[in-house]
């Protein structure tokens, strides 16, 4: 009996080694013996699942306790812009592993931008398993998440907050110190989203603005007129570039071996 246990333990270690990165991606995931059909699978024990769920719940409640008027301002803007309820936005934020970026955005001389993507992402089902071919049981679902904008491709909606100064963001100045905007980049059409944002939102807003701070005469000032002309020109260039890309000529690859052999 003792030798049988040793052999089984050896088989278990061997299977763990064969799975390689799949195991290291989840250090708490035990490797179960091969099933009668010969397939290998990785599942979480009920105890492990309960412990992870407990830790996640505690973390979420700690974050929920941090939600103050500053957070509520961001949440309300996101809910209005994307079309979700404030409860849905709050739940997405407190579940995000980049939650701490929001506090860094509020800090004096903190992050200059805070980005959110709302798009389809691969989500594992409630009881994920790793099949013998290494693939996961997952599906595409829309998700709102915080991003730095450098690791995920934008394929849906980008919502952004920008700071206008280095002041600490408080409940009383959030609406004055933080700007909010949205790019609709459905199917990854970034140029089209940027063109729409500038031509339909930013340019009309700039041309209707009367107060330009230290610059006198407002829209009559030559520097302001030059600036607005440059913005209009950039939007035109952006539109031309987008149309050129959409109407580009795609050449078909030709196999020239047959022509060479006939020479």
């Amino acid at each position: 009996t003792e030798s049988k246990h040793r052999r089984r333990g050896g088989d278990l270690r061997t299977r763990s080694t064969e799975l390689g990165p799949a195991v290291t991606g989840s250090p708490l995931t035990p490797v179960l013996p091969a099933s009668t059909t010969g397939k290998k699978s990785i599942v979480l024990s009920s105890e492990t699942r309960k412990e992870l769920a407990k830790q996640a719940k505690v973390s979420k409640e700690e974050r929920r306790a941090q939600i103050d008027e500053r957070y509520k301002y961001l949440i309300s803007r996101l809910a209005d812009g994307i079309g979700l309820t404030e409860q849905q936005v709050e739940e997405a934020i407190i579940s995000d592993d980049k939650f701490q970026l929001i506090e860094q955005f509020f800090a004096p001389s903190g992050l200059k931008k805070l980005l959110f993507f709302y798009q389809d992402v691969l989500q594992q089902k409630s009881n994920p398993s790793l099949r013998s071919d290494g693939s996961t049981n997952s599906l595409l679902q829309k998700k709102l998440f915080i991003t730095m904008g450098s690791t995920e491709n934008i394929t849906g909606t980008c919502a952004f907050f920008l700071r206008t100064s280095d002041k600490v963001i408080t409940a009383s100045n959030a609406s004055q110190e933080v700007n909010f905007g949205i790019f609709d980049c459905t199917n990854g059409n970034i140029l089209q989203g940027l063109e729409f944002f500038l031509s339909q939102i930013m340019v009309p807003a700039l041309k209707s603005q009367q107060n330009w701070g230290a610059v006198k005469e407002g829209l009559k000032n030559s520097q302001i007129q030059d600036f607005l002309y440059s913005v209009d020109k950039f939007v035109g260039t952006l539109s031309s570039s987008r149309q050129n890309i959409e109407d580009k000529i795609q050449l078909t690859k030709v196999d020239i071996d047959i022509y060479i052999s006939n020479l």
Side-chain angles (χ1 to χ4, degrees), residues 73-84 89 93 116 144 159-161 180 182:
Y73 174 77
L74 302 188
I75 289 171
S76 65
R77 298 285 75 77
L78 288 169
D80 291 340
I82 296 177
L84 299 174
V89 174
I93 287 176
F116 292 82
L144 176 67
F160 60 88
F161 294 93
F180 173 67
I182 285 183

Side-chain angles (χ1 to χ4, degrees), residues 183-197:
F183 290 150
D184 182 6
C185 303
T186 304
N187 298 323
N189 295 325
I190 299 177
L191 292 183
Q192 183 174 341
L194 180 59
E195 179 189 342
F196 180 87
F197 175 77

Side-chain angles (χ1 to χ4, degrees), residues 137-157:
N137 192 13
S138 56
L139 70 164
L140 282 175
Q141 287 184 339
K142 275 193 174 298
K143 180 182 179 182
L144 176 67
F145 58 94
I146 306 170
T147 177
M148 293 298 291
S150 56
T151 55
E152 298 90 359
N153 293 327
I154 172 65
T155 59
T157 301

